[in-house]
Amino acid sequence: MLKNMEDNDALLTSAFINTLLTKHSNSSHPISKALIHTQNDTSFTQTLQSHIRNLRFNNSTTRKPLLIVVPTHVSHIQTAVISARTHNLHMKIRSGGHDYEGLSYTSSTETRFFLLDMQKLCSIDLDMATETAWAQTGATLGELYYKIAQNSKVHGFPAGVCPSVGVGGHFSGAGYGNMMRKYGLTVDHIVDAQLVNVEGRVLDRMSMGEDLFWAIRGGGGASFGVVLAYKINLVRIPETVTVFRVERTQEQNAVNDVVFRWQEVAPKLDEDLFIRMILDVVKSSQTGEKTLRASFVALFLGDSDRLISIMRNSFPEMGLRKSDCIETNWVQSIFFYSDIPMGTPEEYLLRRKPEKLVHLKRKSDYLKKPISKYGLNEIFKKMVELEYPALLFNPYGGRMAEIAPNATPFPHRLNLAKIQYVLNWEESGIEASCYYIGLMRKLYDHMTPYVSNNPRESYLNYRDLDLGINHHDWKTNNYRTANALGVSYFKENFGRLVEIKRRVDPTNFFRNEQSIPVISLEKLGSVHFLESRI
């Protein structure tokens, strides 16, 4: 049986490659065999692993693609789509590979698939006269930031602080960064796009229409096509910005008051100020016992004098001092947030691989109202008991609250904050993964009374398969899973995404474990998921 499967896979791979190389190849930009990596090639493993960022999916048991196609021209994408449809071969699309569940390069539902790896389609073209840029989706945020910094000291872009994240996934899932209270999300600054659709046609904003353009700015581009590039508006930033990191522990007796006050103040502060709060467990410097630590990491778009004035008036409980503040520029503030030594040359932004790879799991929640001091104390006790999971609170307010929840597919703008559950570990193997993921699930369950409900909201770019998997086989009637997933990620915007999906990809060619499904709105509307734990 296994031998027959391997023979069939080999035949399918050969037929697919032949179609790529001959019938649909563009004579001006032919696909060479060097851009196609099969499992028998020595280059296969290196190419596959080059953009795996979660070691949970870098092992012998992880399902691998039959082959990898690395396009260097848009015609290669068109050819890959047409050839895949011809041979009924499923396609995965990878840009930076930071997706937390590995959905862009592995599969838990498809037995035969290939990987379209966008890493070589990474050009970035700036037009400083119009303050815009075209960024191909295989580029990284670091490459985008480097290009901006080389051309201007007073321009930036409101996206994430991890330089090796890929533009494709970050933008299409409504990326955010530490300027979101001033400028909103990445998708709020996208003004055009190029996409290869299911028919292999290249579309821009005008030819794809406003519905599809709306969908790929936060609804996940891989549900609708292969996004080749995004056009963005740059934003103005001061030459001098200020960062700080202040830490408090339970043994200092003030952590509960400061954390409680952060919830009330952080979303209402001057929009130039973003203060992330991190809760984790450390060993006490005095007793060596486990204790809760609260860290406050900030970016202020201005100098330290104005920052100190704002903090004294609005958040004196933190006790920020001038000596806590570091004045720097925008690029160095990214290094600060990413725990990269300040003073590191800007060329470091071009580094595609993180310093260290780990096994990891992430989850997300949204905070709608402040957690009481009693509730915080209960959370602190649970975290100390579990020891390893951490919580990152990212404040909203400012520009985030000024944009309508249906302006883009991202619907969570009116919350106080987003919570990210963070857990990294170094041990390999299923047993270790089950242990650490189990700890995170316990903390997630413990947080249920304190976060959004009906639905319990989640952030698309923090993919979480605990929420469910779409098998895209409606004979099994998994409408409930599709609905619960969709409403958790998109709330009221899910219905519009489903309708767009049905129009632009009726055969559901572009799919993954949590993509937008092809399903009638009548059937979708008949599902009531409010009793779900999601």
Side-chain angles (χ1 to χ4, degrees):
M1 178 69 72
L2 180 60
K3 183 64 166 61
N4 289 338
M5 289 179 59
E6 291 175 347
D7 289 343
N8 289 337
D9 288 349
L11 289 172
L12 176 60
T13 300
S14 178
F16 176 71
I17 292 174
N18 181 63
T19 307
L20 275 174
L21 294 174
T22 57
K23 294 186 179 179
H24 299 290
S25 185
N26 185 309
S27 58
S28 301
H29 300 277
I31 298 179
S32 70
K33 290 186 177 181
L35 303 177
I36 304 171
H37 309 271
T38 70
Q39 292 183 354
N40 296 324
D41 297 337
T42 56
S43 59
F44 178 85
T45 299
Q46 180 182 354
T47 305
L48 179 62
Q49 293 179 347
S50 64
H51 283 77
I52 292 180
R53 303 293 178 247
N54 187 347
L55 289 181
R56 286 171 55 205
F57 307 112
N58 192 13
N59 55 61
S60 59
T61 60
T62 301
R63 187 172 289 160
K64 308 294 193 300
L66 293 181
L67 72 158
I68 303 170
V69 178
V70 185
T72 58
H73 187 265
V74 63
S75 63
H76 302 166
I77 300 175
Q78 296 172 283
T79 300
V81 169
I82 295 170
S83 301
R85 292 185 65 196
T86 299
H87 296 285
N88 194 28
L89 183 58
H90 182 52
M91 180 170 71
K92 292 276 187 169
I93 310 164
R94 181 170 74 175
S95 56
H98 272 267
D99 53 322
Y100 288 149
E101 298 285 14
L103 301 189
S104 65
Y105 53 86
T106 185
S107 179
S108 59
T109 58
E110 306 284 348
T111 57
R112 302 157 121 193
F113 68 100
F114 79 100
L115 170 60
L116 187 73
D117 193 320
M118 301 288 287
Q119 61 177 289
K120 292 187 181 297
L121 289 170
C122 56
S123 69
I124 299 167
D125 297 316
L126 263 61
D127 184 344
M128 298 311 301
T130 59
E131 299 179 294
T132 61
W134 273 102
Q136 288 190 319
T137 52
T140 65
L141 297 184
E143 291 164 350
L144 173 61
Y145 296 162
Y146 181 80
K147 192 69 174 279
I148 295 172
Q150 293 301 297
N151 287 271
S152 174
K153 295 181 179 180
V154 294
H155 288 87
F157 189 69
V161 295
C162 182
S164 58
V165 166
V167 163
H170 190 73
F171 283 26
S172 70
Y176 76 97
N178 52 14
M179 293 197 290
M180 66 177 171
R181 300 192 64 254
K182 176 74 171 183
Y183 291 115
L185 304 171
T186 58
V187 292
D188 300 325
H189 301 270
I190 295 174
V191 294
D192 204 344
Q194 294 174 338
L195 172 141
V196 177
N197 73 359
V198 71
E199 298 171 351
R201 294 174 55 213
V202 181
L203 307 176
D204 61 9
R205 179 175 182 172
M206 181 175 293
S207 56
M208 75 175 69
E210 288 302 303
D211 272 350
L212 182 52
F213 181 65
W214 176 85
I216 62 173
R217 291 179 294 132
S223 287
F224 304 96
V226 182
V227 183
L228 174 65
Y230 285 105
K231 184 180 181 181
I232 56 175
N233 283 328
L234 307 182
V235 300
R236 293 289 185 100
I237 57 173
E239 287 193 43
T240 298
V241 303
T242 304
V243 295
F244 70 76
R245 183 185 185 101
V246 172
E247 296 180 353
R248 300 284 184 265
T249 62
Q250 276 187 309
E251 60 190 355
Q252 295 171 306
N253 297 320
V255 66
N256 195 299
D257 291 338
V258 177
V259 170
F260 178 78
R261 182 63 176 154
W262 178 94
Q263 299 175 101
E264 297 183 318
V265 172
K268 300 177 183 178
L269 288 169
D270 187 300
E271 63 182 12
D272 286 336
L273 179 55
F274 175 91
I275 306 177
R276 170 179 287 171
M277 180 172 68
I278 305 170
L279 304 181
D280 63 354
V281 177
V282 296
K283 295 291 180 67
S284 168
S285 59
Q286 300 175 8
T287 66
E289 296 181 355
K290 294 184 293 183
T291 186
L292 193 287
R293 175 177 65 180
S295 303
F296 302 89
V297 189
L299 170 69
F300 177 65
L301 299 175
D303 61 37
S304 58
D305 288 336
R306 188 161 77 90
L307 171 60
I308 289 293
S309 176
I310 291 172
M311 291 295 286
R312 284 175 178 169
N313 291 329
S314 302
F315 199 179
E317 294 85 354
M318 183 175 290
L320 184 69
R321 301 167 299 181
K322 185 73 175 284
S323 59
D324 297 321
C325 302
I326 303 172
E327 292 186 346
T328 186
N329 60 39
W330 174 58
V331 167
Q332 292 297 321
S333 77
I334 294 168
F335 292 157
F336 179 82
Y337 257 82
S338 299
D339 293 324
I340 299 167
M342 297 188 71
T344 297
E346 292 181 354
E347 284 73 17
Y348 187 91
L349 292 169
L350 303 177
R351 181 185 175 94
R352 287 198 161 213
K353 197 164 187 177
E355 289 284 353
K356 184 178 182 181
L357 295 178
V358 295
H359 305 78
L360 62 87
K361 174 68 179 178
R362 301 290 188 265
K363 297 176 78 68
S364 61
D365 262 324
Y366 284 91
L367 191 67
K368 289 193 170 298
K369 60 183 181 180
I371 302 169
S372 68
K373 290 185 178 181
Y374 173 81
L376 289 174
N377 191 54
E378 292 299 301
I379 293 170
F380 295 168
K381 288 193 294 185
K382 190 66 175 179
M383 291 186 69
V384 170
E385 172 195 328
L386 298 173
E387 186 174 358
Y388 295 106
L391 297 176
L392 274 64
F393 290 73
N394 296 287
Y396 280 15
R399 181 61 179 150
M400 288 293 290
E402 297 170 356
I403 299 174
N406 63 356
T408 67
F410 180 89
H412 313 289
R413 297 177 184 270
L414 300 180
N415 292 298
L416 294 181
K418 176 183 17 236
I419 304 172
Q420 181 179 189
Y421 298 72
V422 175
L423 184 51
N424 301 337
W425 64 95
E426 296 185 1
E427 300 97 312
S428 300
I430 295 177
E431 185 175 345
S433 291
C434 289
Y435 172 72
Y436 288 109
I437 293 173
L439 295 179
M440 178 172 281
R441 288 170 177 163
K442 289 179 181 179
L443 180 57
Y444 183 80
D445 288 343
H446 185 81
M447 291 289 291
T448 302
Y450 310 111
V451 296
S452 61
N453 61 82
N454 295 334
R456 187 167 184 173
E457 301 173 35
S458 301
Y459 175 44
L460 179 67
N461 267 356
Y462 294 168
R463 291 287 195 183
D464 181 7
L465 292 185
D466 289 353
L467 302 180
I469 293 175
N470 280 339
H471 293 279
H472 302 288
D473 176 11
W474 305 118
K475 294 178 182 179
T476 61
N477 294 319
N478 82 342
Y479 306 122
R480 181 178 299 276
T481 298
N483 192 66
L485 274 172
V487 178
S488 180
Y489 286 134
F490 303 112
K491 299 180 68 177
E492 292 85 356
N493 294 332
F494 182 50
R496 183 178 176 187
L497 288 169
V498 169
E499 185 57 35
I500 295 168
K501 171 72 172 180
R502 291 178 62 220
R503 291 204 311 267
V504 304
D505 183 24
T507 63
N508 202 24
F509 174 76
F510 296 109
R511 64 186 183 273
N512 61 49
E513 287 82 344
Q514 292 192 338
S515 58
I516 302 299
V518 175
I519 179 176
S520 71
L521 292 181
E522 292 77 16
K523 289 182 178 179
L524 193 62
S526 69
V527 179
H528 300 283
F529 79 103
L530 297 184
E531 72 277 16
S532 167
R533 72 188 292 269
I534 298 173

